[in-house]
Amino acid sequence: MSTRHILLGLLAAGPSHGYDLKRRHDERFPQARPLAYGQAYTTLQRLVRDGLAEVEGTDSDGGPERTLYRSTDAGSRELTRWAGEISPPAPFVTNEIFAKVVVSILASADPAAYLAAQRAAHMARMRELTTLKTAPHADLATVLSADYALNHLDADLRWMTATADRLTTLTAEVDSA
């Protein structure tokens, strides 16, 4: 996910402080990794440097001085370009689970036991996400984010089942190489 574009999108609603942008990021993208304050401010500085955002002013409201940022016309154009760009499917898939299965075979460990433990961890996370999305006051962003994660976890589970069914063949291939 492009932090610079997400911040530009949040700035499209109007000028904001870095603190507010970080908070809104975490609210709007509940299943994403929370945005670190340092990352928010570093990204804002880069947006200013690149002419995509600018400092509108500072205020303190009785507390520490806070900088107010706003998107520029160039920032709006960049956001529109990025939002309309089709995200290509990844040409290479890095799968840590697959790597651990192969390493388990290489290390004469038990890849079936690893897959069973990983499956249990996935199932536990799926239960957490289901509880989250079916909570009485869950907002649509939470539901959609949880659905996205659940679909990916489900795909992993299907892959783990297929891999477990083929472990004998995979082990023979790995051992013969």
Side-chain angles (χ1 to χ4, degrees):
M1 192 160 57
S2 170
T3 302
R4 75 189 268 127
H5 292 101
I6 297 301
L7 290 181
L8 280 173
L10 294 171
L11 284 171
S16 283
H17 298 100
Y19 175 84
D20 294 329
L21 291 167
K22 182 265 190 278
R23 183 184 48 76
R24 287 192 357 242
H25 170 277
D26 294 350
E27 288 171 358
R28 297 267 186 247
F29 305 99
Q31 296 306 311
R33 176 178 293 138
L35 184 62
Y37 287 106
Q39 184 180 12
Y41 288 108
T42 300
T43 303
L44 285 166
Q45 290 169 355
R46 289 184 185 134
L47 289 171
V48 169
R49 177 199 68 200
D50 297 342
L52 302 175
E54 62 189 14
V55 173
E56 183 162 288
T58 58
D59 61 45
S60 63
D61 288 334
E65 188 173 274
R66 297 180 350 158
T67 303
L68 191 64
Y69 297 90
R70 73 172 194 82
S71 181
T72 62
D73 289 341
S76 295
R77 286 190 302 274
E78 172 60 18
L79 180 61
T80 299
R81 183 204 61 74
W82 176 79
E85 192 175 76
I86 301 301
S87 299
F92 304 101
V93 178
T94 303
N95 185 330
E96 186 174 346
I97 298 169
F98 176 67
K100 288 182 178 184
V101 168
V102 171
V103 168
S104 291
I105 294 168
L106 291 169
S108 299
D110 186 354
Y114 167 74
L115 284 170
Q118 187 64 58
R119 180 178 181 77
H122 270 55
M123 295 296 292
R125 179 64 179 142
M126 290 176 86
R127 285 189 293 277
E128 291 170 6
L129 289 166
T130 300
T131 299
L132 184 67
K133 80 177 220 163
T134 59
H137 301 294
D139 61 16
L140 186 56
T142 298
V143 171
L144 292 174
S145 294
D147 282 343
Y148 185 84
L150 283 164
N151 280 296
H152 281 266
L153 290 167
D154 182 61
D156 282 351
L157 287 173
R158 286 183 278 120
W159 178 87
M160 283 184 246
T161 299
T163 301
D165 291 345
R166 298 173 178 154
L167 272 178
T168 302
T169 305
L170 179 61
T171 300
E173 286 181 10
V174 169
D175 286 343
S176 71

